[in-house]
Amino acid sequence: MDERHKKTFYITTPIYYVNDVPHIGHAYTTIIADAISRYKKLDGKKVFFLTGTDEHGQKIEKSAQEKGMEPIELADRVVKRFKSLWKKLNISYDYFIRTTEKRHEKGVQELFQNLKEKGDIYKGEYKGYYCVSCENFLSEDVPLEKEGHKICPDCGKEAGKVSEKCYFFRLSAYQDKLLELYEKKPLFVRPQSRMNEIRSFVEKGLKDLSITRSTVKWGISVPDDPEQSIYVWFDALNNYLTGIGYGWNKDLYQSFWPPDIHMIGKDILRFHAVYWPAFLMAGDFPLPQTVYGHGWWLKDKTKMSKSKGNVLDPHIILKRFGTDPLRYFLLREIPIGLDGNFSHEGFIHRCNSDLANDLGNLVQRTLTMIRKYFDGNIPTLGEELSDDISLRKRFDALKSRVADFYDNHSINKALEEIWTYINSVNKYLADSEPWSLAKDETQKERLARILYQTACALRGISYFLYPVMPESAQKIWDFLGEETKIEQASLPDLKFEDYKAYREILKPEPIFPRVDLKDFLKDEPKAAQGEPKKEGKMSQISFNEFKKMDLRVAEILSAEKVEGTRKLVKLEADIGDEKRQMVAGIADTYEPEELVGKKLVVIANLEPATIHGIESQAMLLAGVKEDGTAVIPFFVEDIPTGSKVQ
Ligand code: MSP
């Protein structure tokens, strides 16, 4: 059915592996999906938005083992991190699926059994190479590096040799059907360039796919053959069925299946555009409308990923800038089909110029003038001016173009259009000079008309921005005296001059603060590089090595904030036989005065460092939370200053 005429809309993100805490890359896919689903709701659709976590398989098994944990403990811990980040990012998902849920496991076993009974799954033996990082069987074409040694072409890591009994899915039987699908539905894979890649991959020929593992314990067991566990990609892909009620809620399933869009990164396109439709064809399921493979966020020109140690922690940005600037930047900066290079310069520039200047100033100016010249009451219409017509006409054009762009997943283009309009409203204000008209009582009606028009335009702008910046858009809407929630106003019914305030305009608080790049990097030096690469397993040190550290009890004698920074505190400490000056990033957690007289642990023989022009001659020890804030362990019992800590 034509997407525009369907009443429901089902959108999914990939389910994320739980070996890794979420980073900007994961946030990106999820924010795209959130913006699309919010837009679809405005457009009158009943939306189901599914996200979740991929918790089985060798990668998680190995990662948990390295951390000395049970896989489920690791999964429980990382799931909390994902859910908390989604909350901070205002992600309005309808269901968060975990592949360790019983009803998912049951559904996957049923789907497996079903294909086996149909003859599409058979037992055999796999001999080849397996990349644990991608959870992928390498194609035979990948050349040997040296005997018994291949490098995964997708992630560049070493792939291990595998020889095991397993079950195969008869993928080869679906080659023609897949090619027919791509022919009939050219938008099945988007963007177009990715469709071509997938088609030529399938044209080269498909081999049957191993879909169980006998050497991996952490997985869903094969029905009637518990020695075998189901391959993590067969397990994971089926979340799109079990997450929408397959096997447990027929009504839900029937209302929403098939998915309108699987939003994924281009790294996992083959799984979604080749294997997944083949599994669905084998099970006689209607197929998804579109698989969209978006581009990557790069740092220093390489894909951001934990294993490369170049990920950016979204918490640092969220804490400093808030949610909407990050959502805006990720969606505005690049078309979703292309890669983008993340830089703090680029990010801060966009925040300052688009958000603080263009939009922020428009909001402030309009509302301040309505308060000043009309006591906060929305002016009455007055006689229509010729300029108004162009603002209104442009609004109607904007509405249909923005809708088309959102429908087409060209979110950056939708934002570009909105900004062109914002700038034309700013120009309208500048040209009509309401501040001059206000000096002339005979111009009151004209002034009223201009400010009313501007408020109408601003109301429309906030509406169109809602899918991308839900919190700020609602704030503007509220400032304007609207009493409803934006999502209750339907897009098809939205009219330029619908604006009627229900109460007087309140004093607007600034929504988007300006940020100075130098200040930001001074406070958050870590943010500049991405997270430092951590080695998989911490290497051990000997007791003698530990003894090289001069750890001591120190007493804080004085403390003061370092001027021009947000986080840094300069401290003077008595370490027993001498006094030392230190600089520490702790002002987020502590007022300098409360530290005086406290005893804590310092390392006294660390080489001095200059921080913000001040020499730091020792380092205090503190716990660091995920968002970068520090918590210092203080001595509760009395202990002489200078005592050894060991
Ligand atoms: N568990 C599989 C997906 C199974 S879906 C049935 C998986 N998980 S993942 O944790 O590795 O997440 C991959 C997804 O995260 C990518 O497809 C992409 O959506 C997102 N990204 C991860 N790094 C990214 C960037 N650097 N840039 C943009 N998105 C990226 O694969």
Side-chain angles (χ1 to χ4, degrees):
M1 199 195 300
D2 173 4
E3 200 187 273
R4 288 223 75 158
H5 297 107
K6 249 182 81 195
K7 288 215 163 49
T8 58
F9 188 81
Y10 177 27
I11 182 165
T12 66
T13 71
I15 47 171
Y16 302 104
Y17 286 130
V18 289
N19 65 312
D20 208 358
V21 293
H23 59 70
I24 294 249
H26 305 125
Y28 181 50
T29 319
T30 317
I31 291 171
I32 298 176
D34 188 63
I36 295 178
S37 74
R38 283 178 190 269
Y39 163 74
K40 290 290 174 186
K41 282 185 205 157
L42 293 183
D43 200 22
K45 301 271 188 280
K46 211 166 157 227
V47 174
F48 197 93
F49 171 13
L50 180 71
T51 190
T53 39
D54 189 354
E55 305 186 8
H56 290 127
Q58 196 172 356
K59 178 173 166 125
I60 312 299
E61 189 176 72
K62 191 166 158 245
S63 189
Q65 200 180 23
E66 282 169 3
K67 293 182 167 73
M69 303 167 86
E70 289 301 320
I72 193 67
E73 281 178 74
L74 175 62
D76 287 345
R77 184 200 278 186
V78 176
V79 163
K80 281 197 196 120
R81 307 276 284 264
F82 272 99
K83 286 191 172 166
S84 121
L85 181 62
W86 296 161
K87 197 163 172 207
K88 287 185 188 146
L89 285 170
N90 246 323
I91 304 297
S92 55
Y93 59 80
D94 293 288
Y95 188 57
F96 186 106
I97 185 165
R98 299 185 54 180
T99 54
T100 47
E101 279 168 39
K102 278 285 155 285
R103 63 189 183 195
H104 169 78
E105 297 187 342
K106 189 171 148 279
V108 170
Q109 286 178 324
E110 244 173 71
L111 290 156
F112 185 96
Q113 190 62 17
N114 181 15
L115 300 198
K116 194 163 157 236
E117 279 162 19
K118 286 187 165 158
D120 270 325
I121 290 180
Y122 63 93
K123 202 158 185 182
E125 187 171 1
Y126 175 79
K127 280 199 168 87
Y129 288 81
Y130 191 80
C131 170
V132 179
S133 182
C134 300
E135 294 281 18
N136 191 19
F137 299 94
L138 262 53
S139 127
E140 283 169 13
D141 313 342
V142 178
L144 271 183
E145 276 284 299
K146 53 181 189 233
E147 194 41 45
H149 189 101
K150 282 193 180 185
I151 296 294
C152 170
D154 294 328
C155 70
K157 291 200 185 138
E158 195 179 316
K161 214 168 176 178
V162 172
S163 167
E164 59 188 9
K165 290 222 164 18
C166 67
Y167 288 84
F168 282 96
F169 171 71
R170 223 176 276 285
L171 184 63
S172 55
Y174 288 88
Q175 178 171 357
D176 291 343
K177 289 186 188 124
L178 285 168
L179 290 173
E180 205 178 300
L181 163 71
Y182 307 149
E183 196 56 40
K184 276 204 191 132
K185 284 175 75 175
L187 294 183
F188 179 70
V189 175
R190 296 186 72 183
Q192 181 66 42
S193 54
R194 306 255 171 260
M195 174 88 261
N196 301 341
E197 266 169 38
I198 287 296
R199 189 185 292 110
S200 56
F201 172 81
V202 174
E203 277 166 353
K204 279 192 204 129
L206 294 175
K207 292 234 157 61
D208 290 351
L209 178 74
S210 165
I211 51 162
T212 65
R213 304 289 315 269
S214 62
T215 48
V216 177
K217 292 281 155 273
W218 180 238
I220 301 174
S221 51
V222 169
D224 308 325
D225 196 348
E227 289 304 299
Q228 296 273 343
S229 69
I230 293 178
Y231 173 40
V232 63
W233 271 102
F234 185 88
D235 166 351
L237 286 163
N238 279 306
N239 93 86
Y240 301 131
L241 277 167
T242 59
I244 196 71
Y246 174 82
W248 58 273
N249 186 337
K250 208 165 165 198
D251 285 350
L252 181 69
Y253 169 74
Q254 283 178 343
S255 321
F256 286 97
W257 189 266
D260 291 273
I261 182 161
H262 290 307
M263 184 54 67
I264 56 164
K266 62 180 180 178
D267 46 334
I268 52 173
L269 195 57
R270 199 183 325 136
F271 298 95
H272 283 79
V274 181
Y275 305 162
W276 177 228
F279 296 156
L280 289 171
M281 285 173 184
D284 290 325
F285 289 98
L287 301 182
Q289 290 286 348
T290 294
V291 175
Y292 203 115
H294 67 66
W296 288 335
W297 277 100
L298 313 173
K299 183 92 195 12
D300 308 321
K301 308 258 166 17
T302 48
K303 183 185 177 223
M304 227 181 265
S305 79
K306 189 82 173 177
S307 55
K308 292 199 193 97
N310 63 346
V311 292
L312 290 168
D313 180 353
H315 293 94
I316 295 181
I317 291 181
L318 287 177
K319 197 171 68 167
R320 185 68 185 268
F321 298 88
T323 300
D324 284 350
L326 180 61
R327 291 176 61 116
Y328 174 72
F329 176 77
L330 294 177
L331 297 178
R332 171 68 183 82
E333 196 67 6
I334 48 167
I336 58 177
L338 300 183
D339 292 348
N341 200 44
F342 193 99
S343 78
H344 289 91
E345 289 83 345
F347 176 66
I348 289 175
H349 176 73
R350 275 239 172 261
C351 291
N352 288 342
S353 98
D354 297 8
L355 300 181
N357 286 0
D358 300 344
L359 176 58
N361 281 344
L362 177 62
V363 175
Q364 291 300 318
R365 281 207 286 178
T366 311
L367 299 176
T368 309
M369 283 193 283
I370 294 178
R371 278 175 60 81
K372 189 163 167 199
Y373 305 138
F374 295 92
D375 292 332
N377 296 310
I378 300 307
T380 48
L381 292 186
E383 207 161 294
E384 188 166 75
L385 307 170
S386 54
D387 296 354
D388 301 349
I389 303 171
S390 98
L391 212 57
R392 175 159 31 83
K393 272 201 182 144
R394 280 196 205 192
F395 179 88
D396 292 338
L398 176 74
K399 177 175 158 180
S400 84
R401 284 174 69 80
V402 166
D404 285 349
F405 282 132
Y406 272 129
D407 272 326
N408 220 8
H409 322 303
S410 300
I411 306 179
N412 70 316
K413 287 260 180 239
L415 292 169
E416 210 175 295
E417 288 287 327
I418 298 170
W419 250 262
T420 308
Y421 190 69
I422 290 177
N423 290 331
S424 70
V425 183
N426 271 326
K427 184 165 181 313
Y428 171 76
L429 269 187
D431 291 348
S432 44
E433 296 188 23
W435 41 90
S436 308
L437 299 178
K439 291 180 194 143
D440 181 352
E441 197 45 42
T442 65
Q443 295 291 329
K444 191 92 184 175
E445 196 173 310
R446 188 178 164 83
L447 177 65
R449 185 72 201 169
I450 290 167
L451 291 181
Y452 178 70
Q453 289 283 306
T454 313
C456 289
L458 193 54
R459 173 180 177 271
I461 289 165
S462 61
Y463 186 88
F464 295 138
L465 284 178
Y466 168 82
V468 174
M469 297 198 283
E471 203 181 315
S472 315
Q474 185 65 49
K475 261 192 198 160
I476 301 174
W477 194 258
D478 292 344
F479 287 157
L480 284 167
E482 283 280 358
E483 59 170 8
T484 55
K485 291 266 170 252
I486 291 188
E487 67 250 36
Q488 288 164 324
S490 120
L491 175 66
D493 299 336
L494 184 77
K495 301 227 170 34
F496 182 71
E497 282 187 344
D498 267 355
Y499 174 47
K500 284 174 205 61
Y502 289 89
R503 53 169 169 74
E504 69 182 48
I505 303 282
L506 305 175
K507 187 165 189 284
E509 59 191 72
I511 319 182
F512 305 110
R514 289 184 65 84
V515 178
D516 184 71
L517 176 68
K518 277 205 227 100
D519 283 349
F520 174 71
L521 293 180
K522 206 157 51 198
D523 279 344
E524 304 286 356
K526 192 175 137 212
Q529 295 103 35
E531 272 189 10
K533 184 168 165 53
K534 285 187 199 123
E535 293 307 327
K537 202 172 182 180
M538 284 271 192
S539 56
Q540 293 185 331
I541 57 165
S542 67
F543 186 63
N544 274 339
E545 280 173 294
F546 170 73
K547 273 201 332 204
K548 287 184 193 157
M549 285 195 284
D550 183 2
L551 295 173
R552 305 209 198 161
V553 177
E555 181 178 345
I556 303 296
L557 302 174
S558 68
E560 63 187 76
K561 189 97 188 280
V562 177
E563 221 159 280
T565 72
R566 195 172 50 87
K567 253 171 114 142
L568 300 180
V569 176
K570 181 174 132 190
L571 307 129
E572 198 187 12
D574 179 354
I575 61 164
D577 42 11
E578 56 178 306
K579 286 185 189 143
R580 292 279 180 90
Q581 171 176 290
M582 299 187 284
V583 179
I586 51 176
D588 278 339
T589 327
Y590 302 98
E591 291 299 332
E593 312 80 73
E594 65 180 300
L595 298 166
V596 177
K598 292 257 167 70
K599 288 186 178 173
L600 42 73
V601 180
V602 299
I603 168 158
N605 61 341
L606 194 66
E607 60 181 15
T610 305
I611 303 173
H612 201 70
I614 306 168
E615 190 179 48
S616 187
Q617 304 155 333
M619 186 174 88
L620 63 79
L621 301 193
V624 182
K625 293 201 285 192
E626 190 187 324
D627 64 4
T629 53
V631 177
I632 304 173
F634 296 111
F635 284 95
V636 194
E637 314 285 348
D638 196 25
I639 181 164
T641 303
S643 306
K644 255 184 103 49
V645 175
Q646 56 188 33

